[in-house]
Amino acid sequence: MRVIRLLYRKIIDASSQSAWEKLVFNDSYTEFLMQAQLYNQEKKYSTFGELITYVPNADKLHFLVSGSVVGYLKQLNRKVPDILNNSGKLFLPFSNYKFEIINSDIKDKSKHQVAVNFMSEPLTWYDTIGNQLLVALDTTPVNGEILTEQFAMQPFLSIYSLKEIK
């Protein structure tokens, strides 16, 4: 038996369409502007990349800005967004995530880009059918059967870890 955890990297930027994505985009940008002031008191830098390159400890901005999106992540009810099973339903539970700033500019909001990396709960991986995985969230039989989920692999979704269980 193989147990896997998946990683889904959701990138959010100015072109993001859903209401949830727009909230994450706007609030993380606002928080970036506030937190970046601490690392840019002389106003020498305008981009996140410059801050990371030239200012000691500016990599803490990832963590400092992440607080602005925690409430939005709770709204997901521990389900990874965008990953649907073959019935068209969100199903993939996540327990951990990592927020990161990809790019930003204090003078140009359109350059703000963040990612949320969702790490799934462990899944029992039974088979791969074409580009689809057949997994079980729980291996406890229900009426003698193990209930499964089938879903397509897609961009930004990968197997994060694998464990063989004998």
Side-chain angles (χ1 to χ4, degrees):
M1 182 170 29
R2 297 172 292 181
V3 175
I4 60 172
R5 290 181 66 207
L6 301 175
L7 174 77
Y8 177 58
R9 179 175 171 84
K10 177 150 185 76
I11 297 174
I12 299 170
D13 58 24
S15 68
S16 295
Q17 296 297 310
S18 79
W20 183 87
E21 292 167 341
K22 289 177 181 181
L23 289 167
V24 170
F25 175 80
N26 287 323
D27 284 5
S28 65
Y29 184 69
T30 300
E31 189 68 20
F32 170 75
L33 291 178
M34 289 191 309
Q35 296 293 343
Q37 292 176 39
L38 176 65
Y39 298 95
N40 196 21
Q41 294 176 7
E42 296 174 12
K43 299 184 178 21
K44 288 170 57 174
Y45 310 109
S46 64
T47 68
F48 176 69
E50 290 171 332
L51 290 170
I52 291 293
T53 301
Y54 300 114
V55 180
N57 298 318
D59 60 332
K60 291 181 181 177
L61 283 166
H62 297 287
F63 171 75
L64 295 170
V65 174
S66 71
S68 68
V69 302
V70 170
Y72 300 119
L73 295 172
K74 288 181 181 177
Q75 291 176 4
L76 298 174
N77 296 318
R78 299 187 60 231
K79 298 281 190 246
V80 175
D82 306 333
I83 309 300
L84 305 174
N85 65 13
N86 283 359
S87 299
K89 295 182 180 180
L90 294 172
F91 75 98
L92 186 60
F94 73 91
S95 53
N96 297 322
Y97 66 89
K98 182 179 178 192
F99 174 87
E100 68 178 288
I101 302 166
I102 298 171
N103 192 20
S104 200
D105 190 317
I106 61 173
K107 296 177 182 173
D108 187 352
K109 186 176 184 176
S110 71
K111 293 187 175 155
H112 185 66
Q113 188 178 45
V114 298
V116 182
N117 299 289
F118 295 94
M119 282 74 89
S120 77
E121 292 282 337
L123 307 165
T124 302
W125 179 19
Y126 287 104
D127 205 353
T128 302
I129 305 163
N131 75 331
Q132 301 198 350
L133 299 184
L134 180 66
V135 301
L137 302 174
D138 183 357
T139 56
T140 305
V142 175
N143 297 324
E145 302 172 328
I146 295 173
L147 302 179
T148 61
E149 298 282 358
Q150 187 173 338
F151 63 98
M153 289 299 290
Q154 57 192 348
F156 303 103
L157 179 64
S158 61
I159 296 175
Y160 175 69
S161 68
L162 170 71
K163 182 173 17 173
E164 292 279 346
I165 299 180
K166 297 184 184 205

